[in-house]
């Protein structure tokens, strides 16, 4: 894997730094390059929108930024740590310390209530205030008497107060009013807590609210 170690002093104010990042997979016709030589800096506390057509590589990029997938070449530094110098367990531990997720493919635990789902990560780390913190966050995202899948995931992501929040089309399955309120909350908490916000979105209005915007086209940064 390419060694592209930057000057450590240049990373002090960066949540994420990406250098020469590429991803190639094999399909029935041979090698297919999903991402080509991506360079990216995301300052701490910033908000970044990753936009592009379906299949452009934007969700793959988000997975690589979190260390959920491994690149073919290049490197990602997340909260100062070179992710792919770590093994899979070490990357998972680093994510748990620094990253919250709102991914469409991430599921709540079906047999647990909304409150229990939000409490779970805090209980695992021994937080004795798990119930009160979870209750407050559920109230803030507007959960009523019935479980609302997406807001519950959002509550679980934010209640841990992560350094970085990554969201993949977080309003994709919500009605307009609910989606608007969820995005208002995400940006408010980004502002209040200094959490770095990284969004994959097809919604230009959401993208325009972010401080940074990048477009992925056929696996390359464009525009």
């Amino acid at each position: 894997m390419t060694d592209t170690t930057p000057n450590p002093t240049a990373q002090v104010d960066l949540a994420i730094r990406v250098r020469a990042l590429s991803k190639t997979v094999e399909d029935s016709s041979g090698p297919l390059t999903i991402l080509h030589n991506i360079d990216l800096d995301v300052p701490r506390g910033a908000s970044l929108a990753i936009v592009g057509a379906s299949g452009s590589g934007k969700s793959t990029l988000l997975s690589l930024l979190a260390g959920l997938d491994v690149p073919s070449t290049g490197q990602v530094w997340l909260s100062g740590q070179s992710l792919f110098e770590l093994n899979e367990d070490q990357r998972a531990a680093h994510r748990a310390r620094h990253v919250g997720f709102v991914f469409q493919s991430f599921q709540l635990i079906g047999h647990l209530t909304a409150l229990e789902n939000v409490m779970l990560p805090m209980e695992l780390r021994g937080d004795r205030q798990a119930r009160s913190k979870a209750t407050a966050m559920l109230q803030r995202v507007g959960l009523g008497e019935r479980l609302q899948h997406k807001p519950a995931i959002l509550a679980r992501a934010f209640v841990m107060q992560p350094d970085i929040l990554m969201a993949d089309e977080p309003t994709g399955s919500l009605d307009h009013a609910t989606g608007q309120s969820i995005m208002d909350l995400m940006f408010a908490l980004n502002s209040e807590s200094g959490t770095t916000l990284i969004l994959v979105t097809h919604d230009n209005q959401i993208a325009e609210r972010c401080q940074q915007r990048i477009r992925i086209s056929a696996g390359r940064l464009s525009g």
Side-chain angles (χ1 to χ4, degrees):
M1 192 167 293
T2 305
D3 181 5
T4 53
T5 305
N7 182 343
T9 60
Q11 294 198 79
V12 171
D13 294 323
L14 293 179
I16 292 178
R17 168 163 282 205
V18 177
R19 289 296 178 269
L21 195 70
S22 297
K23 179 68 176 182
T24 301
V25 298
E26 292 287 336
D27 67 8
S28 58
S29 61
L32 172 66
T33 300
I34 301 173
L35 290 173
H36 301 259
N37 201 38
I38 303 293
D39 289 344
L40 177 65
D41 289 340
V42 184
R44 296 184 190 277
S47 54
L48 167 70
I50 303 172
V51 300
S54 178
S56 61
K58 56 188 186 297
S59 292
T60 298
L61 175 58
L62 194 66
S63 293
L64 290 170
L65 296 183
L68 292 167
D69 195 4
V70 177
S72 301
T73 64
Q75 188 55 269
V76 174
W77 290 264
L78 187 149
S79 294
Q81 172 63 55
S82 178
L83 284 182
F84 304 111
E85 293 178 357
L86 305 177
N87 63 35
E88 187 173 353
D89 288 343
Q90 291 170 330
R91 288 198 302 274
H94 190 65
R95 278 195 302 274
R97 288 192 296 270
H98 297 284
V99 183
F101 294 103
V102 186
F103 284 5
Q104 286 189 326
S105 59
F106 278 32
Q107 301 297 314
L108 299 176
I109 299 174
H111 66 274
L112 298 182
T113 67
L115 179 60
E116 289 167 340
N117 266 289
V118 177
M119 287 173 60
L120 181 61
M122 289 182 290
E123 289 180 321
L124 291 175
R125 74 176 186 185
D127 191 330
R128 295 184 178 183
Q129 297 181 333
R131 179 172 292 273
S132 61
K133 290 179 180 178
T135 299
M137 185 55 68
L138 285 166
Q139 291 172 344
R140 185 161 190 180
V141 302
L143 270 179
E145 295 180 358
R146 300 185 65 181
L147 175 65
Q148 300 294 318
H149 183 74
K150 284 291 182 178
I153 292 177
L154 186 67
R156 189 168 67 181
F158 265 117
V159 77
M160 297 295 288
Q161 296 184 320
D163 298 328
I164 302 167
L165 180 71
M166 299 185 179
D168 191 352
E169 300 287 4
T171 63
S173 62
L174 301 175
D175 63 80
H176 178 75
T178 303
Q180 184 66 44
S181 65
I182 291 301
M183 292 312 306
D184 287 345
L185 175 63
M186 293 178 77
F187 281 103
L189 291 176
N190 163 249
S191 175
E192 292 169 13
S193 67
T195 294
T196 304
L197 183 60
I198 300 177
L199 302 171
V200 165
T201 183
H202 68 279
D203 189 320
N204 288 331
Q205 289 185 331
I206 292 174
E208 288 173 359
R209 296 179 66 176
C210 293
Q211 296 168 347
Q212 290 180 264
R213 291 172 293 279
I214 61 170
R215 180 171 295 278
I216 304 292
S217 178
R220 301 179 187 275
L221 287 182
S222 64

PDB file of all heavy atoms in Angstrom, residues 12 44 57 60 90 94 123 170 179 193 197-198:
ATOM      1  N   VAL A  12      -2.972  18.697  12.693  1.00  0.00           N
ATOM      2  CA  VAL A  12      -3.484  19.094  13.997  1.00  0.00           C
ATOM      3  C   VAL A  12      -4.953  19.481  13.931  1.00  0.00           C
ATOM      4  O   VAL A  12      -5.751  19.113  14.798  1.00  0.00           O
ATOM      5  CB  VAL A  12      -2.643  20.258  14.567  1.00  0.00           C
ATOM      6  CG1 VAL A  12      -3.285  20.824  15.819  1.00  0.00           C
ATOM      7  CG2 VAL A  12      -1.223  19.787  14.859  1.00  0.00           C
ATOM      8  N   ARG A  44     -11.373  19.723  11.476  1.00  0.00           N
ATOM      9  CA  ARG A  44     -12.179  19.369  12.644  1.00  0.00           C
ATOM     10  C   ARG A  44     -13.345  20.349  12.779  1.00  0.00           C
ATOM     11  O   ARG A  44     -13.177  21.556  12.627  1.00  0.00           O
ATOM     12  CB  ARG A  44     -11.326  19.418  13.911  1.00  0.00           C
ATOM     13  CG  ARG A  44     -10.205  18.406  13.944  1.00  0.00           C
ATOM     14  CD  ARG A  44      -9.459  18.449  15.263  1.00  0.00           C
ATOM     15  NE  ARG A  44      -8.249  17.645  15.213  1.00  0.00           N
ATOM     16  CZ  ARG A  44      -8.211  16.331  15.403  1.00  0.00           C
ATOM     17  NH1 ARG A  44      -9.335  15.685  15.679  1.00  0.00           N
ATOM     18  NH2 ARG A  44      -7.073  15.668  15.335  1.00  0.00           N
ATOM     19  N   GLY A  57     -19.390   6.183  -6.659  1.00  0.00           N
ATOM     20  CA  GLY A  57     -18.325   5.832  -5.722  1.00  0.00           C
ATOM     21  C   GLY A  57     -18.394   6.569  -4.411  1.00  0.00           C
ATOM     22  O   GLY A  57     -17.540   6.385  -3.547  1.00  0.00           O
ATOM     23  N   THR A  60     -18.753   4.252  -1.347  1.00  0.00           N
ATOM     24  CA  THR A  60     -17.483   3.552  -1.174  1.00  0.00           C
ATOM     25  C   THR A  60     -16.462   4.454  -0.495  1.00  0.00           C
ATOM     26  O   THR A  60     -15.735   4.027   0.412  1.00  0.00           O
ATOM     27  CB  THR A  60     -16.938   3.077  -2.538  1.00  0.00           C
ATOM     28  OG1 THR A  60     -17.862   2.157  -3.114  1.00  0.00           O
ATOM     29  CG2 THR A  60     -15.579   2.399  -2.378  1.00  0.00           C
ATOM     30  N   GLN A  90      -8.283  -3.261  15.549  1.00  0.00           N
ATOM     31  CA  GLN A  90      -7.795  -1.949  15.982  1.00  0.00           C
ATOM     32  C   GLN A  90      -8.572  -0.824  15.299  1.00  0.00           C
ATOM     33  O   GLN A  90      -8.872   0.194  15.921  1.00  0.00           O
ATOM     34  CB  GLN A  90      -6.301  -1.831  15.687  1.00  0.00           C
ATOM     35  CG  GLN A  90      -5.435  -2.722  16.556  1.00  0.00           C
ATOM     36  CD  GLN A  90      -3.995  -2.767  16.080  1.00  0.00           C
ATOM     37  OE1 GLN A  90      -3.697  -2.633  14.877  1.00  0.00           O
ATOM     38  NE2 GLN A  90      -3.063  -2.966  17.016  1.00  0.00           N
ATOM     39  N   HIS A  94     -10.824   2.077  17.106  1.00  0.00           N
ATOM     40  CA  HIS A  94     -10.609   3.499  16.826  1.00  0.00           C
ATOM     41  C   HIS A  94     -11.921   4.153  16.383  1.00  0.00           C
ATOM     42  O   HIS A  94     -12.242   5.271  16.817  1.00  0.00           O
ATOM     43  CB  HIS A  94      -9.540   3.651  15.739  1.00  0.00           C
ATOM     44  CG  HIS A  94      -9.067   5.056  15.542  1.00  0.00           C
ATOM     45  ND1 HIS A  94      -8.382   5.761  16.497  1.00  0.00           N
ATOM     46  CD2 HIS A  94      -9.206   5.897  14.481  1.00  0.00           C
ATOM     47  CE1 HIS A  94      -8.095   6.972  16.043  1.00  0.00           C
ATOM     48  NE2 HIS A  94      -8.594   7.077  14.822  1.00  0.00           N
ATOM     49  N   GLU A 123     -24.145   1.780  27.714  1.00  0.00           N
ATOM     50  CA  GLU A 123     -24.059   0.718  28.718  1.00  0.00           C
ATOM     51  C   GLU A 123     -22.816  -0.131  28.502  1.00  0.00           C
ATOM     52  O   GLU A 123     -22.172  -0.570  29.463  1.00  0.00           O
ATOM     53  CB  GLU A 123     -25.316  -0.151  28.664  1.00  0.00           C
ATOM     54  CG  GLU A 123     -26.556   0.557  29.195  1.00  0.00           C
ATOM     55  CD  GLU A 123     -27.785  -0.321  29.139  1.00  0.00           C
ATOM     56  OE1 GLU A 123     -27.929  -1.065  28.131  1.00  0.00           O
ATOM     57  OE2 GLU A 123     -28.597  -0.282  30.087  1.00  0.00           O
ATOM     58  N   PRO A 170     -29.105  10.192   4.956  1.00  0.00           N
ATOM     59  CA  PRO A 170     -29.841  10.021   6.215  1.00  0.00           C
ATOM     60  C   PRO A 170     -31.321  10.331   6.127  1.00  0.00           C
ATOM     61  O   PRO A 170     -32.095   9.898   6.979  1.00  0.00           O
ATOM     62  CB  PRO A 170     -29.135  11.004   7.164  1.00  0.00           C
ATOM     63  CG  PRO A 170     -28.533  12.030   6.269  1.00  0.00           C
ATOM     64  CD  PRO A 170     -28.111  11.277   5.039  1.00  0.00           C
ATOM     65  N   GLY A 179     -37.590  14.686   7.376  1.00  0.00           N
ATOM     66  CA  GLY A 179     -36.210  14.821   6.902  1.00  0.00           C
ATOM     67  C   GLY A 179     -35.636  16.187   7.199  1.00  0.00           C
ATOM     68  O   GLY A 179     -34.484  16.312   7.607  1.00  0.00           O
ATOM     69  N   SER A 193     -21.656  20.985  19.319  1.00  0.00           N
ATOM     70  CA  SER A 193     -20.661  20.079  19.908  1.00  0.00           C
ATOM     71  C   SER A 193     -19.331  20.091  19.189  1.00  0.00           C
ATOM     72  O   SER A 193     -18.361  19.513  19.675  1.00  0.00           O
ATOM     73  CB  SER A 193     -21.213  18.643  19.920  1.00  0.00           C
ATOM     74  OG  SER A 193     -21.339  18.161  18.590  1.00  0.00           O
ATOM     75  N   LEU A 197     -19.100  16.717  10.563  1.00  0.00           N
ATOM     76  CA  LEU A 197     -20.237  16.094   9.897  1.00  0.00           C
ATOM     77  C   LEU A 197     -19.878  15.783   8.450  1.00  0.00           C
ATOM     78  O   LEU A 197     -19.486  16.667   7.699  1.00  0.00           O
ATOM     79  CB  LEU A 197     -21.444  17.038   9.953  1.00  0.00           C
ATOM     80  CG  LEU A 197     -22.763  16.554   9.372  1.00  0.00           C
ATOM     81  CD1 LEU A 197     -23.241  15.297  10.086  1.00  0.00           C
ATOM     82  CD2 LEU A 197     -23.812  17.665   9.474  1.00  0.00           C
ATOM     83  N   ILE A 198     -19.989  14.507   8.072  1.00  0.00           N
ATOM     84  CA  ILE A 198     -19.699  14.083   6.699  1.00  0.00           C
ATOM     85  C   ILE A 198     -20.934  13.373   6.157  1.00  0.00           C
ATOM     86  O   ILE A 198     -21.345  12.341   6.678  1.00  0.00           O
ATOM     87  CB  ILE A 198     -18.468  13.154   6.653  1.00  0.00           C
ATOM     88  CG1 ILE A 198     -17.250  13.888   7.206  1.00  0.00           C
ATOM     89  CG2 ILE A 198     -18.213  12.690   5.221  1.00  0.00           C
ATOM     90  CD1 ILE A 198     -15.994  13.050   7.268  1.00  0.00           C
TER      91      ILE A 198
END
